[in-house]
């Protein structure tokens, strides 16, 4: 079921008492940093302390400061995520209108605006759009997982950074992979409050298209954009069918940049 069809109540699954401001302003992560290393239970999960779609924003000072969200456009609930300097992915059932404003904020909150000039469906619930201009350095272009025949076994139980429409970061786990009715594969997430790693959330209508990431070599790697609710599930960005179709769609749209892959 698509998130746009869900009528679930908005509720966060908390691992304990209300959040605290940890003052964690250090941006540094090493090549060995994992999601578990980054997340702090009870910290406020917001990416921004003050968000302004029309101007510069103020970044939060909790553990989320270590997550590079500069390649995610949050100025509309229909979230866009950079996969090249000029291409963004979205939920196919929840695409932004063409044309529309696509706003990013860098690691220091500086605003950058582009325009979505075209968009096409790729496979399953994945769509890709073309921006009017490439983004400069300083705005994160997220790599995808390279294909691995044993990836389902390797990823199961890994902690994942999960974003939502309110510009927050939650920590779920990989539950498993399965085939998508629309082609390619889907990844299914789960949440275990007993592990006390960050916060968890029941995804609801309006969260569609928000991205999820694992950490590899010190950077976030895109593995999913939300299609359904609960703990989350969506197209798996480590799937070879999606890789092929997405590359073809990017070539069809034109523009600069190409997909980058990392091995798990």
């Amino acid at each position: 079921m698509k998130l746009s069809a869900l009528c679930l109540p908005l509720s966060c699954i908390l691992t304990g008492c209300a959040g605290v401001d940890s003052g964690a302003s250090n941006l540094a992560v090493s090549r060995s940093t994992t999601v578990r290393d980054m997340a702090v239970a009870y910290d406020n999960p917001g990416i921004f302390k003050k968000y302004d779609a029309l101007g510069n924003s103020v970044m939060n000072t909790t553990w989320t400061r270590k997550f590079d969200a500069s390649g995610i456009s949050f100025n509309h609930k229909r979230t866009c995520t950079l996969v090249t300097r000029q291409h963004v992915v979205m939920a196919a059932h929840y695409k932004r209108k063409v044309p529309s404003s696509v706003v990013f904020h860098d690691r220091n909150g500086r605003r950058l605006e582009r325009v979505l000039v075209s968009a096409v469906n790729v496979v399953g619930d994945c769509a890709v759009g073309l921006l009017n201009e490439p983004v400069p350095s300083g705005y994160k272009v997220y790599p995808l997982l390279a294909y691995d025949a044993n990836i389902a076994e390797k990823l199961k139980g890994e902690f994942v950074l999960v974003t939502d429409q309110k510009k927050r970061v939650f920590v779920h786990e990989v539950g498993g992979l399965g085939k998508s009715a629309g082609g390619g594969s889907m990844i299914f997430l789960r949440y275990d409050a007993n592990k006390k790693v960050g916060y968890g959330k029941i995804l609801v209508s309006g969260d569609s298209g928000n991205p999820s990431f694992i950490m590899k070599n010190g950077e976030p790697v895109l593995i999913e954009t939300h299609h359904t609710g609960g703990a989350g599930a969506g197209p798996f960005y480590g799937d070879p069918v999606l890789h092929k179709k997405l590359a073809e769609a990017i070539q069809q749209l034109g523009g600069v940049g190409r997909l980058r892959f990392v091995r798990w």
Side-chain angles (χ1 to χ4, degrees):
M1 182 184 296
K2 297 176 182 177
L3 285 174
S4 55
L6 290 177
C7 296
L8 297 176
L10 177 63
S11 60
C12 292
I13 310 169
L14 303 183
T15 58
C17 60
V20 297
D21 184 351
S22 69
S25 58
N26 182 11
L27 298 181
V29 293
S30 72
R31 287 180 61 84
S32 62
T33 298
T34 66
V35 172
R36 182 189 279 275
D37 297 329
M38 294 170 64
V40 178
Y42 319 135
D43 261 7
N44 183 320
I47 294 170
F48 300 93
K49 183 173 286 187
K50 181 180 179 182
Y51 180 79
D52 186 353
L54 301 178
N56 294 337
S57 294
V58 180
M59 309 308 293
N60 209 347
T61 56
T62 63
W63 73 266
T64 63
R65 188 82 168 101
K66 294 185 177 182
F67 169 55
D68 189 346
S70 62
I72 308 172
S73 174
F74 287 111
N75 66 306
H76 193 285
K77 286 185 179 180
R78 299 175 185 243
T79 308
C80 296
T81 303
L82 287 167
V83 290
T84 81
R85 291 178 57 226
Q86 202 171 351
H87 300 89
V88 292
V89 290
M90 302 167 280
H93 79 271
Y94 206 48
K95 296 192 296 291
R96 288 200 198 186
K97 294 181 180 179
V98 176
S100 63
S101 170
V102 180
V103 174
F104 303 95
H105 288 85
D106 73 7
R107 300 285 272 144
N108 294 309
R110 287 186 292 259
R111 180 182 185 272
L112 176 74
E113 182 175 18
R114 292 292 184 261
V115 177
L116 185 69
V117 294
S118 58
V120 296
N121 291 348
V122 178
V123 64
D125 197 23
C126 173
V128 63
L130 175 69
L131 304 179
N132 63 320
E133 295 179 62
V135 301
S137 62
Y139 294 86
K140 183 65 178 175
V141 174
Y142 300 104
L144 313 182
L145 274 182
Y147 172 66
D148 182 333
N150 300 312
I151 197 65
E153 180 181 347
K154 292 178 179 179
L155 286 181
K156 192 168 184 179
E158 286 292 330
F159 288 107
V160 177
L161 301 170
V162 175
T163 64
D164 79 342
Q165 62 187 296
K166 293 192 174 181
K167 310 170 188 66
R168 300 176 295 185
V169 187
F170 301 92
V171 181
H172 294 185
E173 294 178 68
V174 176
L177 301 180
K179 289 299 181 183
S180 169
S185 299
M186 288 187 71
I187 187 168
F188 300 89
L189 306 179
R190 64 190 182 194
Y191 177 72
D192 183 351
N194 293 324
K195 295 186 177 178
K196 294 185 171 66
V197 181
Y199 285 83
K201 184 196 173 179
I202 296 173
L203 299 174
V204 298
S205 179
D207 289 330
S208 288
N210 273 272
S212 297
F213 306 88
I214 55 170
M215 291 294 294
K216 184 64 177 177
N217 299 331
E219 68 175 333
V221 178
L222 178 66
I223 63 166
E224 182 261 0
T225 45
H226 309 333
H227 171 71
T228 62
F236 175 50
Y237 284 82
D239 180 81
V241 174
L242 188 148
H243 291 168
K244 180 176 183 293
K245 297 290 186 181
L246 182 55
E248 290 172 352
I250 287 171
Q251 184 175 22
Q252 172 190 335
L253 289 171
V256 301
R258 61 181 182 178
L259 300 173
R260 181 165 64 93
F261 301 92
V262 297
R263 294 193 177 278
W264 182 243

